[in-house]
Amino acid sequence: MFENVPEFIPYTILILAVAGIGLWMYKDELRFQFKSKTTEGTIVNWMASTQGGKKYFYPVIEFQPEGGQKQRFRVDDRCEGAPLYDQGTAVKVKYDPLNFTKITVQYPSKKI
């Protein structure tokens, strides 16, 4: 029954299936890469936490999405010992227009 099927057909089907599953699994990340918008934000505060005897600081970022109200979030980025930037430092915020809680932050380069 399958004797006349060219050898590349099953491999092509397998490759398409794996690619389709990969796209489905990472659809949110891909959507964020292509649909996100960038705006200016500000570090408005630092939240401190102690874990395993070490003190970590998490920045609180405030930004205003296009056509929306100001948003303020504590991001998962952290530094140890002391805050890296002063309050009021400008940052670039990349956000999902449909879900403002999904953001990435680009910090200014720190000069030594």
Side-chain angles (χ1 to χ4, degrees), residues 5 7 10 12 29-30 37 44 54-55 58 60 69 76 87 89-90 97 99 104 108 110:
V5 175
E7 187 176 316
T12 303
E29 288 80 6
L30 289 169
K37 298 190 181 258
V44 294
K54 294 182 181 179
K55 193 162 191 172
Y58 298 85
V60 177
Q69 297 180 5
D76 291 332
Q87 288 183 9
T89 300
N99 180 8
T104 59
K110 191 73 172 169

Side-chain angles (χ1 to χ4, degrees), residues 1 4-5 8 12-13 15 25 34 47 52-55 66-67 69 71-72 74 77-78 82 86 106 111-112:
M1 180 165 138
N4 295 333
V5 175
F8 71 91
T12 303
I13 292 171
I15 290 169
M25 286 176 56
F34 293 108
M47 295 180 73
K54 294 182 181 179
K55 193 162 191 172
E66 187 178 299
Q69 297 180 5
Q71 304 290 317
R72 186 179 286 198
R74 184 205 74 136
D77 303 332
R78 69 182 186 183
D86 296 330
Q106 181 182 358
K111 295 183 179 169
I112 299 174

Side-chain angles (χ1 to χ4, degrees), residues 2-3 5 9 14 20 22 24 31 38 41-42 53 66 71-73 77 82 84 104-105 112:
F2 295 110
E3 296 85 28
V5 175
I9 297 288
L14 180 64
W24 180 76
R31 186 186 172 289
T38 303
T42 307
E66 187 178 299
Q71 304 290 317
R72 186 179 286 198
F73 294 103
D77 303 332
L84 286 177
T104 59
V105 179
I112 299 174

Side-chain angles (χ1 to χ4, degrees), residues 11-48:
Y11 294 116
T12 303
I13 292 171
L14 180 64
I15 290 169
L16 290 174
V18 169
I21 291 169
L23 287 172
W24 180 76
M25 286 176 56
Y26 295 103
K27 67 182 181 294
D28 293 333
E29 288 80 6
L30 289 169
R31 186 186 172 289
F32 183 77
Q33 287 298 320
F34 293 108
K35 299 288 185 176
S36 61
K37 298 190 181 258
T38 303
T39 189
E40 291 290 320
T42 307
I43 297 175
V44 294
N45 203 355
W46 287 89
M47 295 180 73

